[in-house]
Amino acid sequence: TLKLRAFPRLGEGLLLASLAMGFNRSTFADRVADWPASRPLCVRAEAIKGGHSMYDEWGRHQAPLSTGSPRLHRFRRAIANTLRVGRRAKGPGGVRWSAGVLVVLRRGPRRFVNEEDLLRSGLAERVQRETGLPLSFVRLETLSVEEQFIRIAGTSILVGNHGAGLTWAALLPSDAHNCAVIELYANASSDGLPVDIRHFAGLAGIRHVPLPQKTSDECHGQLIRSCGDVVVDSEELLRTIVTTARVLQHRLKSGSQ
């Protein structure tokens, strides 16, 4: 058993380990829901195997809910209390992130083939101009678990290619403001888009936006989990982020969740 703040840098660690414990149906979740803020929250780190199949059922029965699982929200707040992270998360160097757009970059399988072009496309500036939301790019594997949680705590729209990084969608602060996850995926894979991220989003009560993208030549016809590299259409991604942000802002103004 390890203190959360002492976790090593994340490969697929905290979120998948935590989700595997079963927030919404386990005695573990019952205990965490009332965890005292003065005590460090601990979890047991174990190897996680089995590909996508073990996650296919998570959140399935929660999908119709509009507000998400209260138990999951309490779990997120328990982690925030342990890490002393407020709703307006303060990161390393004293930087504060308001609720914004976070784009997850990946190495290896399911990467953005044209990543450099995307970084030079002016996407951040254009999203800021259209929506007022700051946009940043991140490689989660380069951050500690605490730093990752802080970034997620300051995010309203999470964007990325299908993969473990998007499981953070389950811990977006949807009890504080409207949130969404935009899930890019290879449009010519042999198996189509797996359902796990959609189910995580349903459990958290956030909007899930699937966005098919051109499959790289090398990954055409292969399984998403074994390849899944995509060529990102920056104009389509911009339109999707702007539309999603406006939907969330409209729901905020109308008072709906």
Side-chain angles (χ1 to χ4, degrees):
T1 303
L2 301 173
K3 288 184 179 179
L4 182 63
R5 65 173 70 255
F7 256 77
R9 292 180 181 274
L10 181 66
E12 292 194 351
L14 170 67
L15 239 296
L16 296 185
S18 301
L19 288 171
M21 293 174 183
F23 296 130
N24 61 328
R25 62 184 75 181
S26 72
T27 56
F28 170 82
D30 288 329
R31 293 196 298 272
V32 167
D34 298 313
W35 196 269
S38 60
R39 295 179 57 191
L41 176 65
C42 300
V43 299
R44 184 172 299 279
E46 298 178 353
I48 296 178
K49 300 178 182 179
H52 291 87
S53 60
M54 68 180 295
Y55 301 111
D56 283 352
E57 296 300 320
W58 291 113
R60 180 185 293 273
H61 69 287
Q62 294 283 358
L65 298 181
S66 60
T67 58
S69 165
R71 183 177 288 175
L72 179 57
H73 294 328
R74 291 194 296 270
F75 183 87
R76 187 189 66 79
R77 289 195 292 270
I79 297 176
N81 288 337
T82 296
L83 298 179
R84 297 179 175 84
V85 175
R87 287 186 176 181
R88 289 184 59 80
K90 186 175 182 180
V95 176
R96 288 187 179 273
W97 290 290
S98 58
V101 183
L102 188 65
V103 181
V104 178
L105 302 176
R106 291 178 58 96
R107 296 190 177 97
R110 283 161 278 146
R111 64 190 177 92
F112 296 156
V113 175
N114 59 334
E115 178 183 298
E116 291 301 322
D117 292 336
L118 181 64
L119 293 173
R120 292 193 297 263
S121 68
L123 181 66
E125 293 79 7
R126 297 172 72 186
V127 167
Q128 176 90 54
R129 185 167 59 248
E130 292 284 343
T131 69
L133 295 175
L135 179 147
S136 58
F137 296 90
V138 66
R139 294 191 189 279
L140 293 175
E141 67 271 18
T142 68
L143 304 177
S144 69
V145 170
E146 181 175 0
E147 290 168 331
Q148 292 183 50
F149 185 86
I150 288 172
R151 296 302 296 266
I152 295 301
T155 296
S156 57
I157 301 177
L158 182 63
V159 182
N161 202 0
H162 173 79
L166 292 191
T167 60
W168 277 109
L171 292 189
L172 285 170
S174 56
D175 54 332
H177 50 74
N178 294 325
C179 296
V181 56
I182 299 174
E183 182 180 14
L184 284 65
Y185 67 97
N187 63 359
S189 64
S190 61
D191 54 344
L193 179 62
V195 299
D196 44 355
I197 304 303
R198 175 167 59 86
H199 289 163
F200 291 151
L203 177 63
I206 69 174
R207 186 178 183 85
H208 175 257
V209 183
L211 183 61
Q213 295 290 278
K214 180 181 178 181
T215 307
S216 69
D217 293 339
E218 295 79 6
C219 294
H220 197 280
Q222 296 192 45
L223 295 171
I224 276 186
R225 63 178 175 269
S226 62
C227 199
D229 296 350
V230 299
V231 179
V232 179
D233 183 333
S234 60
E235 293 299 319
E236 184 178 22
L237 180 57
L238 172 66
R239 290 193 299 270
T240 303
I241 293 174
V242 170
T243 299
T244 301
R246 288 174 176 168
V247 168
L248 298 184
Q249 291 164 352
H250 175 74
R251 292 172 66 187
L252 178 63
K253 290 177 180 178
S254 64
S256 61
Q257 293 293 323

